[in-house]
Amino acid sequence: MQPPDSPDMAPAGDGLEGVARLARELLAVPMALLARVDREGTPRTLAVAGAPSPAALAFCARVLDAATPLADETAGGLAAHPLCPDGATPTGALCVAGVLDARGRRRLALLASQAEALLRAREQAQRLERSTRRLEAILRESATGILRIDGDGIVLDANPYALLLLGYAREELLGHNVNRLMPEAVAREHDGYLRRFLAGGTPRIIGQGREVEARHRDGHPVPVHLAVSALRDEAGRIDEFIGILTDLSEIRAAREAALRERQLLRAVLDGSHDPIYARSGDGRYLAINQAFDSLMKRPDDSDALTRLDPRARDAIDAAERRVVAEGRPQCLGLSLRPGRHHDLTLAPLREADGRIDGVVGVAHDNTQTRRQAALLRVLHQGITDYQALMSGHRLWTFLMEALRELTESDYALIGEVIEQAGAPALKIHAITDLSWSEESRCLMERLRSGDMMLTSPDTLLGRVFAHGEVVMTEDLAGHPHRGGLPSGHPALHNYLGVPIHDGETLIGMYAIANGRRAYDDELLEWLRPFTATCALLINLYRRMAERESVLEALARARDEAQRASQAKSDFLSAMSHELRTPLNAVLGFSQLLAGSRRHPLDARQRRQVEQIDKSGRHLLRLIDDILDLARIEAGRLPLSRERVDLGEVAEDALEAMQPQARDLEVRLTAELAAGATVEGDYTRLKQVLLNLLSNAIKYNRPGGEARLAIERRGDAWRIGVRDTGPGIPEARRSELFQPFQRLDAEHGPVEGTGIGLAITRQLVEHMGGRLEVASRPGEGSHFWFGLPAAAPAAPPPAASAAAPAVELRARVLYVEDNPANRRLMSEAFEERDGLILELAPGAEQALERIRRHPPDLVLMDLNLPGMDGFEALARLRAEPPLRRLPVIALSANAMHDDVRRGREAGFDDYLVKPVAFDDLFAALARCLAAPRTPEERACPTRT
C-alpha cells in the first residue's frame, strides 16, 4: 500500500479522507480505501481508513479492469465500486474489507458517487491553479505591456514590461488614472470617452486595436499598438478592461528609415537625367522617374505613356523576357523619341527570396555623343583618307552624305567658289539628287560634272557663295530671297547655307535642307570643325589639281624619256648580241688554237693567235663597258654588299695587270695595309682597280712607275693609284669622266674606249665613295677614293676539306642555229674525255630528240629560228618525265634584264657569249653534280 505522504494522496482537508472514514463507520468494516490508477496503470492509494491491505489494492485493479462493482466473500471478504470522475472511464475505486449485503452495496455506491464528485472538484481546482500560474507567468514574462483598468480608468495592475516600456515603478502607476499614459490632447478626452462607451457608445479602440502614441514617464511619445478588451461580471456588466500595448518603436524606426530611403531613392531617381523605370513581369510599371515620365508622355495627354514605335517596343519586350528568364542584364540601342538615340540597359528585379519578378531599365541618351563621334569620324576620315577618297572621286560625295547624316537632313550640296568673268561662281562638287523629271535629271548631271556654274548672286545659294552670308531659315516659303520652285520640285521647309572661308577669302559653301530638327545657331557652331575641314580640303583639292597638272607634264616627259631609254637599251642589247655572236667564234677558236694538245702551234702562230685574242677581248671589253655604262645610267647595275678584303682584291688586280706593266716597261708597286676591309662588291671593286691601274700603266712613260696605295683615314680606307705619266692640264680635268672622252689620246698608239673612268666613277659612287683626282703636267696624276671600313668579322667557320675533282661523264645536247658556234663547241668538247656532244640546229628538232633519247644536260641558245629557247624550256618543264632535266642558257643577250629574265624562266644557269670554256665546264659540273636515285641513273631523264 502506498504511504500516506505519496504525491498522489489527496491533501488533508480535501474530503477524501472523510469519505474513507465515513465508509468504514457507515458500513461497519475494519478498513475502507480509495485508490486511483497512476500514469503507469498501477493503482495508488488516495485515502485509507483502518489498516491498509495490499489485497485491497489488487482487488481495486480487478474492479478497474472489469469496470463494474465486484465483491469477494472469501477470506473475510472485499467489496469495491469503480470511480468515474469524468462520467465514462473508471480511473479509481472505493474498496472496503468485509462482506456487504444489498443495502451495504447501495451505500458503497452512494459513497463512490460522493468520492467521484470530490475527485472532479479536485481536478477543477488543479486546472484553475495551473491556469492561474500560467496567466501570472504570461503577465510576468510577456514582452508585451499589459494593463488592468477598472471602469473609472484607474490602473489596477501592470506587468513588468508595461512598466519598463513606459518608465514607471509599480507604485507610481497603480491606483492612478490611465490617462497619465496618454498625450495631453487625448488624456483630456479619455474619461468622457470611457463614460460614453460604458453608456453604450460606439467603441474606437476597445475590441478593435489601433496604432497610438503613449506618453513615457519623462514625457516623450512611445509608439504602440493598443488593443483593449472589456471584461464583464456574472451579470454581464463591464467592470474591468485589459489593455495590451505592443511596442512599435523599432517598427516605426524601420518604417521611417524605409520612408527616408524611398525619399532618397526618389530624389536620386528624379535627379538623374537618364530615364529609369521598374516593370513587373506582367508588364505593370512599378516605378518611373521624372526623366522617364517626361520622355514617354504624349504632348496631348500628360497622364498617359506613349506607345513606342512597334519595332522598339518589340525589342524591349524581347529583351525584358530574356532578363527574367536568364537573370542576366541585357543592353540594346534604340530610339525612344524621334531623332534621339538611347542605350537601354535592363537588369533583373529580384524579390526578397531571390526570385526574379521584373526588370529595371535605365536609358541613356547618347545622341549627342554619337553625333560628336560621327563628326570626329568624318573629319578624321576626310583628312587621313583624303588621297584615297580623291583618287576614287569619292571625297565630295563622302562629305555631302556625312553632312546629311550629321544634320539629319534630306538634301545637301557642297561646292567651290571660283572666279568667272570677274565675278564669283559656284562649282558644285556634290549634290543630293533632286530630279523629278528627265529635264531636271539632265540639269543635275550637269551640276555634278562641273559643266554648269551657278552665278546668280540674289538666290538663297547666291547670298552665300557671292556675298559670304550665312542663310538660315525655318520658313523657306516666306524668305525674301527664295525663288519660285518649278512644278514637281520636292518641297523644302527649312534651309541652311554656310560659306567656307580661307582666312578672308571665300572659297566654297555647303547647304542643307529639310532637316528633321530645327536649324539654329547651336547647330551652326557645332558644324564649325566641319566647315574648317572643308576649307582645308578645298585648298588641298586645288593644290592637288595643280600638282596633277605638273605630274601629267612630268609623266609625259618621263614616258618620252623611258621610250628613249628603252630604245637605247634595245639598241645596246641588239648591238651586244650581234657583236657577241661572231666574237664567240673568234675568241672560242683562238682559245682552241692556243690550247690544243693535239695540234700545238709554233711560236709565230702563237703570237698571231694571241694578237687575235687580244683584239677580240679589246672589242669585248668595249662592249662590256658600253653595257655597264647603260646599266648604270638606267639604275639597273646589280651590286652586292659583302665584306671585301682590300689586300686580296688589290693583289688580284696587281697580278692581272703585271703582264701589261711589263710589256710597257712600267714598274708596278704597291703599299698595302693589313686587315683593310670594306663593305662593297668584290667584282666591281676589282673592276675599279683594274681601270685605274690600266690607265696608270697605259698613260705612263717607259721606266715610269704606277703605285697602288691603301691607307686608313678615320673610319674609312683610302685607295689611291699614282702614276708618273704626262699629267692632265687643269683646264681639261672636267672632261676626264665624260664617256668616250680620251683627251686627244684617241689619235695616239694607246688603246682605249674612253668610258673606263666614267664607269669607274659611277661604280665608286654606287658603293658609297667618291672618286677624286689631282694632277700636274709633267709630274703625273693621282686618282683616289675612300670607302667606309667594315665592321669586325665573326670568326670564320672551320674549313671543310676540298672536294676532289670529278671527271665529267655526260651526254650533252647543244641547241644552236649558228654553224660557227656549233663547230666551236664540237671542237671544245673533243678536248674533253668523257663528254659527248650532240647538236641540234633548232628547238623543234631538239625536243623530238630529247623525248626519244633524253641527254644528261641541254645547252640552249635563246635566239633560235621558229620556237625560241624560252618556249622550248617551258615545254620541257611541262612534261613530267623531263621536268628536272638540267638546261643551261647560252646566249649573246648580255643585258642585266636578259640574265634576270632567263633565271626567272627556270634555266639552271645562264652563260653569256663569248664564254670562257673553263666557266662553261664549271657550269656543266655544277648542274651534273646533283645526286640521282638508282631509277634516275638507269634513265637519264630527271623526274
Side-chain angles (χ1 to χ4, degrees):
M1 181 176 291
Q2 182 177 344
D5 58 353
S6 170
D8 287 331
M9 289 279 289
D14 62 359
L16 294 177
E17 289 284 353
V19 171
R21 288 194 300 271
L22 178 62
R24 179 184 177 192
E25 294 175 0
L26 183 62
L27 297 176
V29 294
M31 186 273 301
L33 179 143
L34 280 165
R36 192 170 186 180
V37 179
D38 63 12
R39 295 184 182 88
E40 288 77 23
T42 303
R44 300 286 184 183
T45 300
L46 293 178
V48 64
S53 170
L57 275 178
F59 192 71
C60 288
R62 289 174 56 194
V63 172
L64 290 174
D65 291 338
T68 186
L70 294 178
D72 184 0
E73 296 180 356
T74 62
L78 290 171
H81 196 285
L83 301 178
C84 299
D86 60 357
T89 304
T91 59
L94 172 60
C95 181
V96 296
V99 178
L100 300 180
D101 56 13
R103 181 180 181 189
R105 288 193 293 273
R106 286 194 299 274
R107 289 180 176 179
L108 180 63
L110 291 173
L111 290 169
S113 298
Q114 182 65 30
E116 287 177 346
L118 290 173
L119 286 174
R120 281 195 296 272
R122 177 189 176 194
E123 289 177 356
Q124 289 175 356
Q126 288 175 345
R127 284 196 297 270
L128 180 60
E129 183 181 359
R130 286 195 298 271
S131 177
T132 301
R133 285 199 301 268
R134 283 197 297 271
L135 181 58
E136 289 176 351
I138 290 172
L139 292 173
R140 192 169 53 252
E141 305 297 336
S142 175
T144 301
I146 302 174
L147 299 174
R148 289 176 56 220
I149 308 163
D150 65 12
D152 294 326
I154 302 303
V155 178
L156 301 176
D157 198 2
N159 73 338
Y161 188 82
L163 297 173
L164 177 66
L165 176 66
L166 301 174
Y168 285 93
R170 177 178 292 275
E171 60 272 13
E172 291 178 318
L173 192 58
L174 270 56
H176 295 275
N177 196 304
V178 73
N179 60 13
R180 75 186 309 178
L181 303 179
M182 303 174 186
E184 292 182 4
V186 178
R188 287 193 298 267
E189 302 292 334
H190 180 262
D191 291 344
Y193 163 74
L194 195 57
R195 286 193 300 271
R196 287 192 297 273
F197 172 73
L198 292 174
T202 303
R204 291 186 296 169
I205 296 179
I206 298 174
Q208 299 181 17
R210 61 186 292 184
E211 290 188 20
V212 299
E213 283 189 348
R215 185 171 61 181
H216 195 272
R217 183 177 181 279
D218 62 10
H220 75 265
V222 179
V224 296
H225 180 274
L226 173 62
V228 180
S229 298
L231 303 181
R232 300 177 184 271
D233 59 12
E234 293 80 357
R237 295 187 300 271
I238 297 174
D239 62 353
E240 191 173 316
F241 298 94
I242 299 295
I244 308 298
L245 303 174
T246 303
D247 186 5
L248 299 182
S249 299
E250 292 184 1
I251 296 176
R252 174 172 289 186
R255 187 183 301 158
E256 290 175 352
L259 178 60
R260 287 195 299 273
E261 289 180 2
R262 285 197 298 272
Q263 291 173 341
L264 177 61
L265 178 60
R266 170 54 57 187
V268 171
L269 291 177
D270 289 340
S272 173
H273 295 294
D274 291 336
I276 302 173
Y277 73 91
R279 196 165 179 234
S280 66
D282 59 5
R284 291 179 296 108
Y285 284 92
L286 305 176
I288 61 173
N289 69 343
Q290 290 180 357
F292 184 86
D293 189 43
S294 174
L295 173 72
M296 301 298 289
K297 282 181 178 175
R298 291 198 297 262
D300 58 345
D301 187 355
S302 60
D303 295 329
L305 295 174
T306 60
R307 291 184 177 179
L308 296 173
D309 178 88
R311 290 173 298 180
R313 179 73 272 163
D314 292 344
I316 294 176
D317 288 343
E320 289 180 349
R321 288 194 295 271
R322 288 195 300 273
V323 170
V324 173
E326 301 173 7
R328 292 183 298 178
Q330 297 281 329
C331 296
L332 62 159
L334 71 168
S335 176
L336 298 178
R337 178 186 290 176
R340 311 298 294 178
H341 190 279
H342 297 80
D343 284 336
L344 179 61
T345 301
L346 300 171
L349 178 64
R350 299 182 184 272
E351 297 291 341
D353 58 2
R355 182 172 52 88
I356 299 173
D357 191 36
V359 296
V360 174
V362 180
H364 177 65
D365 187 340
N366 62 356
T367 306
Q368 194 65 24
T369 302
R370 288 169 62 91
R371 289 179 63 221
Q372 197 67 24
L375 176 62
L376 292 174
R377 175 181 55 79
V378 169
L379 301 183
H380 180 269
Q381 186 174 355
I383 293 175
T384 58
D385 295 348
Y386 172 77
Q387 290 188 341
L389 292 169
M390 282 298 297
S391 63
H393 304 287
R394 296 181 294 114
L395 175 65
W396 304 113
T397 303
F398 163 77
L399 289 175
M400 178 193 71
E401 293 301 333
L403 182 62
R404 289 182 56 214
E405 178 186 350
L406 293 173
T407 61
E408 299 179 84
S409 301
D410 292 337
Y411 307 113
L413 67 83
I414 186 167
E416 178 185 5
V417 176
I418 62 175
E419 186 174 328
Q420 190 176 63
L426 180 65
K427 178 181 180 181
I428 294 179
H429 288 301
I431 183 171
T432 309
D433 190 358
L434 280 167
S435 59
W436 61 94
S437 63
E438 182 62 25
E439 181 182 0
S440 64
R441 187 188 65 79
C442 294
L443 177 64
M444 295 299 299
E445 290 298 327
R446 290 185 62 193
L447 285 173
R448 284 197 188 95
S449 65
D451 293 341
M452 179 179 178
M453 302 287 184
L454 300 182
T455 57
S456 176
D458 295 322
T459 62
L460 286 173
L461 294 176
R463 300 306 301 176
V464 182
F465 74 77
H467 300 281
E469 300 176 2
V470 173
V471 179
M472 182 188 309
T473 178
E474 291 294 313
D475 180 19
L476 200 64
H479 196 276
H481 293 100
R482 175 187 179 273
L485 295 178
S487 176
H489 192 287
L492 303 178
H493 57 79
N494 60 359
Y495 169 84
L496 172 63
V498 180
I500 301 173
H501 287 89
D502 178 23
E504 299 296 326
T505 305
L506 181 62
I507 61 173
M509 72 160 290
Y510 61 81
I512 50 178
N514 284 16
R516 291 182 179 82
R517 62 191 188 94
Y519 299 147
D520 51 24
D521 291 337
E522 181 182 354
L523 175 64
L524 185 65
E525 180 66 20
W526 184 72
L527 285 173
R528 284 183 63 186
F530 179 84
T531 308
T533 302
C534 289
L536 173 65
L537 294 178
I538 289 176
N539 277 324
L540 287 174
Y541 171 78
R542 290 178 172 180
R543 301 297 179 271
M544 182 167 282
E546 296 172 0
R547 179 173 172 268
E548 288 297 326
S549 177
V550 173
L551 288 178
E552 287 178 5
L554 290 174
R556 288 193 297 271
R558 180 202 61 206
D559 293 343
E560 292 176 2
Q562 286 179 346
R563 285 192 293 271
S565 176
Q566 186 61 43
K568 182 179 73 173
S569 296
D570 293 343
F571 166 75
L572 290 174
S573 179
M575 180 199 73
S576 172
H577 181 272
E578 293 303 322
L579 291 176
R580 284 176 181 275
T581 299
L583 274 177
N584 185 54
V586 171
L587 293 178
F589 280 113
S590 66
Q591 290 181 69
L592 291 176
L593 290 172
S596 176
R597 295 193 300 270
R598 297 177 183 176
H599 306 287
L601 303 179
D602 58 28
R604 180 171 175 274
Q605 291 171 331
R606 187 177 297 279
R607 286 195 302 272
Q608 290 172 345
V609 169
E610 288 176 354
Q611 187 60 42
I612 293 172
D613 185 73
K614 180 180 179 182
S615 298
R617 294 194 180 281
H618 174 72
L619 181 57
L620 183 60
R621 280 196 304 274
L622 176 61
I623 296 169
D624 288 341
D625 285 348
I626 292 173
L627 291 180
D628 275 350
L629 187 62
R631 292 189 191 107
I632 292 172
E633 290 177 350
R636 288 180 288 185
L637 180 70
L639 285 176
S640 64
R641 285 288 178 180
E642 57 188 359
R643 187 182 179 85
V644 178
D645 186 329
L646 287 179
E648 182 180 339
V649 72
E651 289 176 356
D652 283 353
L654 290 167
E655 183 179 355
M657 298 309 301
Q658 194 66 49
Q660 183 182 11
R662 189 168 48 249
D663 291 345
L664 296 178
E665 300 179 8
V666 174
R667 188 170 68 258
L668 192 57
T669 62
E671 184 180 343
L672 307 181
T677 55
V678 295
E679 292 286 339
D681 185 307
Y682 184 94
T683 301
R684 296 303 180 182
L685 188 55
K686 181 178 177 181
Q687 183 179 350
V688 167
L689 295 183
L690 289 175
N691 282 343
L692 294 178
L693 288 171
S694 177
N695 284 347
I697 293 170
K698 289 190 301 183
Y699 301 107
N700 213 316
R701 55 182 173 80
E705 180 184 12
R707 184 176 184 79
L708 172 63
I710 299 175
E711 56 183 332
R712 185 68 178 252
R713 292 291 181 92
D715 294 333
W717 289 98
R718 176 170 165 173
I719 304 100
V721 175
R722 189 185 301 271
D723 65 61
T724 56
I728 304 166
E730 185 175 356
R732 306 201 63 181
R733 212 167 290 169
S734 60
E735 303 174 33
L736 274 175
F737 303 106
Q738 297 177 9
F740 307 105
Q741 177 57 262
R742 297 188 61 199
L743 303 185
D744 300 331
E746 61 270 21
H747 305 299
V750 179
E751 294 179 349
T753 62
I755 57 178
L757 281 178
I759 293 174
T760 298
R761 186 175 201 175
Q762 296 268 19
L763 290 175
V764 168
E765 290 178 354
H766 276 68
M767 287 186 286
R770 179 177 177 82
L771 184 61
E772 304 285 351
V773 61
S775 181
R776 287 188 179 182
E779 296 183 9
S781 302
H782 181 203
F783 291 83
W784 74 89
F785 62 93
L787 293 177
S800 58
V806 178
E807 182 180 358
L808 292 179
R809 292 188 176 277
R811 189 165 57 86
V812 178
L813 175 64
Y814 180 38
V815 187
E816 172 64 70
D817 61 321
N818 189 303
N821 286 335
R822 290 201 298 271
R823 287 195 304 272
L824 172 64
M825 196 62 70
S826 297
E827 295 192 18
F829 270 69
E830 287 179 2
E831 300 288 330
R832 296 278 179 162
D833 297 332
L835 289 177
I836 301 173
L837 182 69
E838 297 178 358
L839 302 172
E844 293 83 354
Q845 300 92 324
L847 289 176
E848 292 179 6
R849 185 176 298 179
I850 292 170
R851 293 187 182 107
R852 289 197 310 270
H853 187 38
D856 293 299
L857 183 142
V858 177
L859 276 173
M860 179 82 69
D861 187 27
L862 298 182
N863 295 308
L864 298 169
M867 184 189 304
D868 65 11
F870 288 104
E871 185 177 352
L873 177 68
R875 294 194 182 187
L876 287 174
R877 296 292 187 246
E879 298 183 22
L882 304 174
R883 188 169 295 158
R884 295 183 60 191
L885 177 64
V887 182
I888 298 176
L890 181 60
S891 174
N893 296 334
M895 299 293 284
H896 174 69
D897 289 344
D898 298 327
V899 178
R900 177 183 52 78
R901 181 187 171 203
R903 293 190 182 278
E904 290 176 354
F907 285 103
D908 294 272
D909 207 338
Y910 191 104
L911 303 177
V912 176
K913 298 176 181 177
V915 63
F917 289 126
D918 289 344
D919 294 339
L920 170 65
F921 292 117
L924 294 180
R926 284 195 302 273
C927 292
L928 292 170
R932 291 188 289 174
T933 64
E935 292 78 6
E936 289 175 327
R937 285 195 294 272
C939 177
T941 59
R942 303 198 172 197
T943 59

